[in-house]
Amino acid sequence: MKVTFKKRFSKLFTTDPRYKPRPSVMDALRSPRLLLREVLAGLVVALALIPEAISFSILAGVDPRVGLFASFVMAITTSILGGRPAMISAATGAVALVIAPVARDYGLDYFLATVILAGIFQLTLAAIGAAKLMRFIPRSVMVGFVNSLAILIFMAQIPHLIDVPPAVYVLVLVGLVIMVVMPKFTKVVPAPLVAIVAITAAVIITAVSVPTVGDQGDLPQSLPELLTPNVPLTMETFNIIAPYALAMALVGLLESLMTAKLVDEITDTHSQKTRESFAQGVGNVISGFFGGMGGCAMIGQTMINVKASGARTRISTFLAGIFLLILVVALGDIVAMIPMAALVAVMIMVSVATFNWHSIKPSTLKRMPRSETVVMLSTLAVVVWTHNLAIGVIVGVVIAMVAFARRVAHFASVTRTVGGDDEIEAALYTVEGELFFASSNDLTTLFEYSEDPENIIIDLSGSHIWDASTVAALDTIQTKYESMGKTVYIKGMNDYSQLLHQKLAGNMGSDV
């Protein structure tokens, strides 16, 4: 058992050519141009993380430093251990919503214990290979996920645009213009960073009164300290926090792995999903012990890093965590002066870049199968309505499964021919297609029981038995014929189908 675990653990950090990052950390360190891009990207992400972390802390019902420390720990941990370079992990709204009731009903110590237990659950899920389930998420669900995130990112900016001075709208517009126009001339410096600096300088020079980062909450004045949650180590405590911890673990992993898959597509590289699951678990455990609220991958900040700033390596993620700590602890007074309008402009630009506009073009919708469009829109609607990515993705996958089962069910067909001589006459039923619960439910209705002769042959050469429902259907058919004094012969089963039929036949017909 120890050897098996050791082998699995070592595989997380193997240098499989498929997962070799392009460019690598060493490539960036050797190239001043790439290194500058990674450094500036990390700075932009750190600036964008501050108001988000504060907002999510308030949403979870805890002090702002809990969210800020969590963002620092998650960014550093996943930059070193994670399986998806350039992806940003920090405190998130999805996690905050799940565990907020713990802080409200039981206090901060139980809240931190929940975060630690969620990390342990994630480590367990990583060990059993839960990340491999990502292959079962269809593209239509992925498109709905991405579009819903873009909408949520935009919706999160709306409160910052209501009941504010007119100057805020001007500043947001200026920021958007900078980020649209500047990349056409140069990409040496990330456009979002230029927008933030320019808008901040304009506000300071003109002394105009607009909401700032400092208005969102107090920034911490000291480094995070190692602590142990003061909770009794009893089954009662476990029963209290386990449901919330499991929900946090599942939501966090799902959002992280979906974001990793999106970055894979944008960068045309592969990521190690199991390694990323492991890193998320370690990050949440460490976060809990340092007084943080935990977290997972952040789609908005990841898009700032990968799309807006062009980062591709772990350097940007690592520096985002370092810059975040420096900004809030050492340069808190300066950071507090940054207008929220600058960060709102950045996030609006991110939402526009994240949305898959091709997916809603009339020409695309016309070409796509109706079921694919329904899956995409259902995923989008549920995520936007519940503000819960996990629920939306699960609903989308379930709808996709039902749609797939309905399509495949129609592929099964039965052809009847009657032949023979004067002495022996038989009905031959040729069954073709995949036989499982959806297609086999109607199988029993496709036979002419009363009109058939005494001998019936069912040819399964062109079909495959997948489950017990099909065996039960065949038992029912055979039982009906035998009750009329007729004989049924089944032939042509492949090895798997024959093995399954031999194991279950005769034990299921009475249940149908």
Side-chain angles (χ1 to χ4, degrees):
M1 187 73 178
K2 290 182 179 179
V3 176
T4 303
F5 179 77
K6 186 176 180 180
K7 285 183 178 179
R8 286 188 177 182
F9 183 79
S10 63
K11 284 183 179 179
L12 296 177
F13 301 95
T14 55
T15 55
D16 190 320
R18 292 178 301 166
Y19 304 116
K20 185 178 180 180
R22 301 189 306 271
S24 66
V25 171
M26 293 306 299
D27 292 335
L29 292 176
R30 294 191 190 102
S31 169
R33 181 180 63 84
L34 292 179
L35 183 59
L36 177 63
R37 185 180 69 185
E38 298 293 318
V39 172
L40 294 178
L43 178 58
V44 174
V45 171
L47 290 170
L49 278 173
I50 295 172
E52 296 279 322
I54 294 173
S55 299
F56 296 147
S57 299
I58 296 170
L59 181 62
V62 294
D63 189 88
R65 71 181 63 196
V66 176
L68 290 166
F69 288 163
S71 297
F72 160 71
V73 171
M74 292 297 296
I76 295 294
T77 304
T78 55
S79 70
I80 298 171
L81 300 177
R84 176 61 265 176
M87 188 171 75
I88 304 297
S89 293
T92 63
V95 167
L97 285 171
V98 170
I99 58 176
V102 181
R104 182 184 66 241
D105 299 336
Y106 301 100
L108 182 61
D109 286 307
Y110 278 84
F111 181 87
L112 297 178
T114 303
V115 174
I116 295 170
L117 183 59
I120 295 172
F121 282 151
Q122 288 179 330
L123 291 173
T124 304
L125 291 169
I128 64 177
K132 294 179 181 178
L133 295 175
M134 282 297 297
R135 71 184 67 177
F136 298 109
I137 297 180
R139 173 171 168 72
S140 52
V141 174
M142 188 69 187
V143 173
F145 167 81
V146 171
N147 289 347
S148 63
L149 284 173
I151 293 172
L152 289 180
I153 291 171
F154 181 81
M155 289 174 62
Q157 311 315 310
I158 294 177
H160 300 295
L161 298 173
I162 298 176
D163 294 330
V164 293
V168 170
Y169 304 110
V170 176
L171 294 173
V172 171
L173 181 60
V174 170
L176 292 174
V177 170
I178 291 173
M179 286 182 284
V180 170
V181 175
M182 183 180 164
K184 296 179 180 179
F185 297 97
T186 179
K187 294 183 179 179
V188 175
V189 180
L193 179 59
V194 175
I196 292 172
V197 172
I199 292 174
T200 303
V203 169
I204 293 174
I205 292 171
T206 60
V208 63
S209 178
V210 293
T212 62
V213 171
D215 298 330
Q216 304 301 304
D218 295 330
L219 300 178
Q221 303 295 321
S222 60
L223 296 172
E225 298 178 356
L226 184 64
L227 55 86
T228 302
N230 184 22
V231 297
L233 300 178
T234 62
M235 281 303 299
E236 182 182 359
T237 301
F238 180 82
N239 291 335
I240 290 173
I241 66 176
Y244 298 102
L246 181 59
M248 174 182 168
L250 294 175
V251 169
L253 275 189
L254 186 58
E255 186 166 348
S256 298
L257 296 178
M258 292 288 282
T259 305
K261 188 175 180 181
L262 175 61
V263 178
D264 290 351
E265 294 180 0
I266 293 172
T267 61
D268 194 25
T269 56
H270 297 283
S271 60
Q272 293 174 279
K273 304 296 191 301
T274 299
R275 177 174 173 177
E276 184 60 41
S277 302
F278 170 80
Q280 293 291 328
V282 173
N284 279 311
V285 170
I286 297 175
S287 175
F289 279 116
F290 276 93
M293 62 181 282
C296 61
M298 298 188 75
I299 183 70
Q301 276 65 23
T302 298
M303 290 300 100
I304 291 175
N305 198 42
V306 175
K307 268 196 168 183
S309 302
R312 291 293 183 270
T313 74
R314 301 176 187 276
I315 296 174
S316 60
T317 311
F318 179 82
L319 290 179
I322 297 297
F323 283 141
L324 175 65
L325 191 65
I326 294 173
L327 288 170
V328 299
V329 175
L331 303 175
D333 293 338
I334 297 176
V335 172
M337 298 168 61
I338 297 175
M340 284 302 299
L343 299 176
V344 168
V346 171
M347 297 309 293
I348 290 176
M349 201 67 193
V350 167
S351 69
V352 172
T354 301
F355 196 91
N356 187 335
W357 297 101
H358 177 74
S359 66
I360 61 171
K361 285 183 177 180
S363 58
T364 303
L365 295 174
K366 188 176 181 179
R367 285 195 305 268
M368 290 292 289
R370 185 176 299 177
S371 59
E372 297 284 328
T373 303
V374 169
V375 170
M376 185 268 286
L377 294 177
S378 299
T379 305
L380 186 152
V382 173
V383 172
V384 172
W385 180 45
T386 64
H387 284 225
N388 191 311
L389 299 169
I391 294 176
V393 171
I394 291 171
V395 169
V397 170
V398 170
I399 294 175
M401 289 170 60
V402 172
F404 175 75
R406 289 189 62 187
R407 286 200 302 270
V408 175
H410 296 304
F411 293 158
S413 63
V414 177
T415 304
R416 175 180 180 263
T417 56
V418 179
D421 51 33
D422 295 336
E423 295 183 3
I424 301 176
E425 188 179 20
L428 172 63
Y429 286 90
T430 303
V431 183
E432 295 180 333
E434 305 303 317
L435 302 178
F436 64 111
F437 63 89
S439 58
S440 61
N441 282 338
D442 295 331
L443 193 62
T444 57
T445 66
L446 302 176
F447 289 77
E448 305 289 344
Y449 299 100
S450 58
E451 297 180 9
D452 282 338
E454 293 184 358
N455 296 291
I456 295 90
I457 302 171
I458 302 176
D459 185 1
L460 299 177
S461 302
S463 60
H464 184 97
I465 298 175
W466 285 105
D467 59 9
S469 297
T470 304
V471 178
L474 291 173
D475 276 1
T476 300
I477 294 168
Q478 197 161 2
T479 301
K480 284 188 176 182
Y481 277 118
E482 289 175 352
S483 67
M484 299 177 181
K486 300 177 182 181
T487 305
V488 177
Y489 303 93
I490 300 176
K491 70 171 188 176
M493 285 188 285
N494 57 37
D495 293 341
Y496 177 87
S497 300
Q498 188 168 9
L499 182 63
L500 184 63
H501 187 264
Q502 287 176 350
K503 184 186 294 185
L504 301 176
N507 298 317
M508 307 193 69
S510 59
D511 298 332
V512 179

